[in-house]
Amino acid sequence: MLWHLRKEEFVCDKIFGKQPQFKGAVTGEPNDRIWVIWTHRYYGHPQINRLDNTLYILRVVIEKQSTDPAQRAHQVEQMRKILWAAQTEAAEWDLRTVKLWDPGYLLQDIIERTGIQHRRVEREDESIASLMWFGEGSGKNDMVEWLGNENRFLSLGLCTTSFWATMDFSFIQNELPDSNSPNLDLTQATPKECAQIWTNSSASWRDSLTVPVYLQEQLYLSNVPLARNGGMTTWILVEMNLPPDHRRIFCSCEAFPKRSLMSCTNGKVEDVIVHGIASVFCPLEYRRRGYAARHMKELAKALQTWQSHQARVVGSVLYSDIGKAYYANLGWKPNASNWHMEFPPMNVVKSPIAQDVVEDDLGELCRRDEAIIRDAMAKPTDEGKKVVTILPDLDHMLWHIAKEDFATKQLFGQTPRAKGVIAGLPGRQVWAIWTHRYYMHHNVEAAGNVLYILRLVVEGDETANKPSSRKEKGMKEEKQERQVESLIAVLQCAQAEAAEWQLDQVKLWEPTPWVEDVITKSHISHRIIEREEDSVASCLWFNEDSGQEAAPQWINNEHYAWC
């Protein structure tokens, strides 16, 4: 190893004036680790664009050899991290390819399952490992099997072997199309390509699940309300001259048509479609090349008319986890507000004035909620802007709950009975619909798991379902007392639910001014978070001529609309 590293250090000193800090990468716990040792090899100066400059993986070690499916899935995830680290190192040091010699059957199977783009190269004319063996009496012996033909044996030779190959994790620039190439096309993914995308992106979004279980979850979620029957479309950026299932996926995302309302200042309400964009993902080996930007630009054009047979498409929304600037530069401007309240879990007895909302109750509550919204948006205003909202319909709630049910079955062997809570008398009721989200296993300290209040409704709240100042009052004083009591009961039930299901916090996105005022005055423990980097609701709006339109005011920016 040191022989290779000393050569690397000498050359890097001459080219860059510094040496690589990292000599490899390791992941996993003791006795269950995978590690690699690598070296940087420059066959020519990188400024001459030598395409054969290589990061050679000298040695791979898998400490625990096992055929157990769960262990193999764990090793696939470990290997994906290792290979990403190698590819990142190659990109940082101006190397054009990563090479791993003769990975063997076990390692090759693990690499194939990572879904990382690579190719197998049979070496016929160069770096052919050749051997001559001697018997005990210093004479020639029959050839014996050579194990471990990895790159550290590069200098050995003499008797030719015929089966060694290289796995090449390619960074070769001239093999990748320019992001502005007319040969790139935005299209829909096949089921096999969806599985590839889910595998590649699992490290980002699998939450508390193992990779195999996450793949099961993704398949399950593609067949639940909001997604099934063509509701969810998986868009991919690919080379148009290659057939499905045999093309590189440079970037991908999902899109959902969401039933929405738009109203004018005169109170005219129109049923419209707003597309929700989710899971924008560019594989590590294709990043910083403009593919994601090309993907999003093509997507903006495609969504203007996509599924417009249902209603006029007025825009699209996404929830950025990379801050505000990137998507804003592509047309998705951050919403005027992105904030929420956080409450701690509490081990308290649920209020007797509140009742659980079960799944069978959701349809009627969503219908009542929609009627309240339509009535509010039909009132003329002097705001000077159109108003738009994504409807909190049953499909949205069931989509979130399906994800909740899948995760809780895996973690606890059961699903939560309560999908929310309701308090008060008809006409003056307060209700919340919620979902349990486990980003990590509940036994992990500070896991950041959340009870999200998807939708909070307060009947009679005059600051709801319209553009409102956070200082505006919600209802007349004489009507408030019972409403306040019901609201506090609902929030305390949410805190109790979070404690019961080992969640770390309760989050309520953008409550109305009246609700915020009641919470502040009631001294319920909470904090207000302005979201600057994650879950930043960002919007791109279109006019009737399919051009971009001045932004309407988006109301009810609550968690039910997140995707």
Side-chain angles (χ1 to χ4, degrees):
M1 303 303 171
L2 293 178
W3 183 85
H4 286 283
L5 295 179
R6 293 295 174 263
K7 183 176 180 68
E8 163 195 281
E9 291 167 355
F10 183 88
V11 173
C12 288
D13 261 336
K14 296 296 183 182
I15 296 176
F16 302 103
K18 61 179 182 179
Q19 299 173 2
Q21 177 183 358
F22 301 112
K23 312 304 182 185
V26 62
T27 182
E29 301 297 326
N31 301 317
D32 187 23
R33 293 174 296 186
I34 297 179
W35 73 78
V36 299
I37 301 172
W38 59 50
T39 189
H40 305 61
R41 182 66 186 272
Y42 294 89
Y43 293 98
H45 197 286
Q47 292 182 354
I48 306 175
N49 197 30
R50 284 295 297 264
L51 299 182
D52 48 357
N53 291 340
T54 301
L55 185 83
Y56 284 105
I57 295 178
L58 300 175
R59 178 68 171 153
V60 181
V61 176
I62 302 175
E63 284 190 328
K64 183 179 289 187
Q65 305 286 326
S66 173
T67 58
D68 176 68
Q71 177 66 18
R72 182 62 56 86
H74 173 62
Q75 291 174 336
V76 168
E77 185 174 356
Q78 287 180 300
M79 182 54 63
R80 186 181 294 112
K81 293 177 182 178
I82 289 286
L83 294 177
W84 281 352
Q87 292 176 306
T88 301
E89 181 77 5
E92 181 179 345
W93 283 88
D94 252 342
L95 297 163
R96 294 300 181 264
T97 187
V98 178
K99 290 184 179 179
L100 167 63
W101 281 26
D102 185 37
Y105 296 114
L106 171 64
L107 182 53
Q108 185 171 333
D109 177 66
I110 291 173
I111 290 171
E112 293 290 346
R113 296 187 190 201
T114 67
I116 291 179
Q117 186 78 30
H118 65 277
R119 61 178 181 173
R120 181 183 172 93
V121 179
E122 299 287 343
R123 299 194 305 275
E124 300 289 346
D125 296 307
E126 60 182 21
S127 296
I128 299 173
S130 305
L131 314 167
M132 178 182 289
W133 301 103
F134 300 104
E136 293 182 3
S138 299
K140 292 183 180 180
N141 194 5
D142 292 336
M143 181 178 287
V144 297
E145 184 177 3
W146 180 14
L147 299 177
N149 178 26
E150 296 172 81
N151 192 48
R152 68 187 190 282
F153 297 119
L154 181 62
S155 61
L156 300 178
L158 292 185
C159 180
T160 301
T161 62
S162 60
F163 52 89
W164 304 120
T166 299
M167 298 195 86
D168 179 2
F169 302 89
S170 182
F171 265 88
I172 301 177
Q173 291 182 355
N174 69 348
E175 287 191 352
L176 293 175
D178 186 90
S179 61
N180 294 315
S181 169
N183 293 323
L184 292 181
D185 183 39
L186 185 77
T187 188
Q188 292 89 54
T190 67
K192 184 176 179 180
E193 288 169 331
C194 286
Q196 178 185 339
I197 293 165
W198 299 335
T199 301
N200 286 348
S201 61
S202 61
S204 299
W205 295 311
R206 68 180 179 86
D207 290 357
S208 59
L209 305 177
T210 64
V211 174
V213 175
Y214 172 73
L215 299 182
Q216 295 173 25
E217 181 201 46
Q218 290 304 293
L219 183 60
Y220 168 69
L221 291 179
S222 65
N223 291 285
V224 301
L226 201 68
R228 66 189 176 198
N229 299 326
M232 183 183 77
T233 304
T234 301
W235 294 93
I236 54 176
L237 185 72
V238 296
E239 293 161 289
M240 64 175 60
N241 60 331
L242 296 177
D245 299 332
H246 298 280
R247 50 196 180 184
R248 293 175 290 189
I249 299 173
F250 299 111
C251 190
S252 61
C253 73
E254 298 163 354
F256 302 81
K258 294 172 175 276
R259 292 178 56 240
S260 305
L261 298 178
M262 177 175 277
S263 66
C264 301
T265 55
N266 64 4
K268 180 183 177 183
V269 179
E270 179 187 5
D271 286 82
V272 295
I273 292 293
V274 173
H275 286 290
I277 301 169
S279 305
V280 179
F281 183 77
C282 181
L284 184 64
E285 60 265 35
Y286 301 138
R287 293 178 190 175
R288 299 177 184 266
R289 299 177 182 274
Y291 293 133
R294 171 70 182 274
H295 177 96
M296 297 306 292
K297 291 174 184 177
E298 297 293 335
L299 182 69
K301 293 184 286 186
L303 292 183
Q304 291 181 31
T305 56
W306 185 248
Q307 295 173 321
S308 58
H309 62 281
Q310 302 178 32
R312 182 168 70 93
V313 178
V314 298
S316 60
V317 300
L318 56 82
Y319 296 83
S320 172
D321 288 330
I322 54 173
K324 299 179 178 180
Y326 182 81
Y327 289 110
N329 290 334
L330 296 171
W332 283 269
K333 306 299 182 184
N335 193 46
S337 61
N338 280 288
W339 67 282
H340 63 264
M341 286 183 161
E342 285 186 1
F343 308 88
M346 289 179 60
N347 285 301
V348 295
V349 177
K350 292 183 178 180
S351 171
I353 70 170
Q355 295 179 330
D356 285 347
V357 171
V358 297
E359 190 165 330
D360 288 344
D361 300 327
L362 294 176
E364 178 60 25
L365 291 178
C366 289
R367 284 189 289 272
R368 286 171 59 185
D369 191 8
E370 182 173 334
I372 294 170
I373 294 170
R374 286 181 181 274
D375 182 63
M377 292 184 66
K379 295 176 181 177
T381 69
D382 56 1
E383 292 290 336
K385 276 188 174 183
K386 293 181 179 179
V387 175
V388 67
T389 188
I390 296 172
L391 286 170
D393 59 19
L394 181 60
D395 279 0
H396 275 88
M397 306 308 170
L398 293 180
W399 183 81
H400 285 282
I401 288 169
K403 184 173 180 68
E404 162 192 277
D405 285 351
F406 189 95
T408 52
K409 277 183 183 177
Q410 295 294 323
L411 294 171
F412 303 101
Q414 60 180 327
T415 62
R417 176 182 180 275
K419 308 305 181 186
V421 70
I422 188 168
L425 299 174
R428 291 290 168 184
Q429 287 182 311
V430 178
W431 70 81
I433 300 172
W434 58 48
T435 190
H436 305 61
R437 183 69 185 270
Y438 293 89
Y439 293 100
M440 298 183 69
H441 197 281
H442 58 282
N443 289 332
V444 176
E445 187 176 354
N449 297 328
V450 180
L451 183 85
Y452 283 106
I453 295 179
L454 299 175
R455 174 69 171 157
L456 177 66
V457 178
V458 179
E459 291 184 312
D461 181 357
E462 296 173 7
T463 65
N465 304 310
K466 68 176 185 178
S468 301
S469 164
R470 287 172 69 175
K471 297 181 179 180
E472 184 178 347
K473 289 189 175 181
M475 60 184 73
K476 296 179 180 178
E477 292 293 332
E478 63 270 18
K479 296 183 179 180
Q480 286 199 53
E481 186 175 348
R482 286 191 176 180
Q483 297 287 74
V484 169
E485 183 183 13
S486 295
L487 174 61
I488 292 174
V490 164
L491 292 175
Q492 288 178 342
C493 285
Q495 291 177 289
E497 181 79 7
E500 179 183 349
W501 284 87
Q502 302 180 53
L503 295 161
D504 301 294
Q505 55 203 312
V506 177
K507 290 187 180 182
L508 171 62
W509 282 23
E510 301 202 14
T512 68
W514 183 82
V515 170
E516 182 184 4
D517 184 58
V518 170
I519 292 171
T520 302
K521 290 178 178 177
S522 69
H523 305 295
I524 296 175
S525 177
H526 71 280
R527 61 175 184 161
I528 292 176
I529 306 295
E530 299 283 346
R531 297 193 305 278
E532 298 289 340
E533 297 296 329
D534 62 278
S535 295
V536 178
S538 306
C539 322
L540 176 64
W541 304 107
F542 307 117
N543 59 31
E544 295 186 18
D545 298 323
S546 296
Q548 294 186 19
E549 180 175 51
Q553 284 200 261
W554 181 11
I555 63 172
N556 301 337
N557 178 20
E558 299 179 53
H559 196 75
Y560 70 85
W562 175 94
C563 57

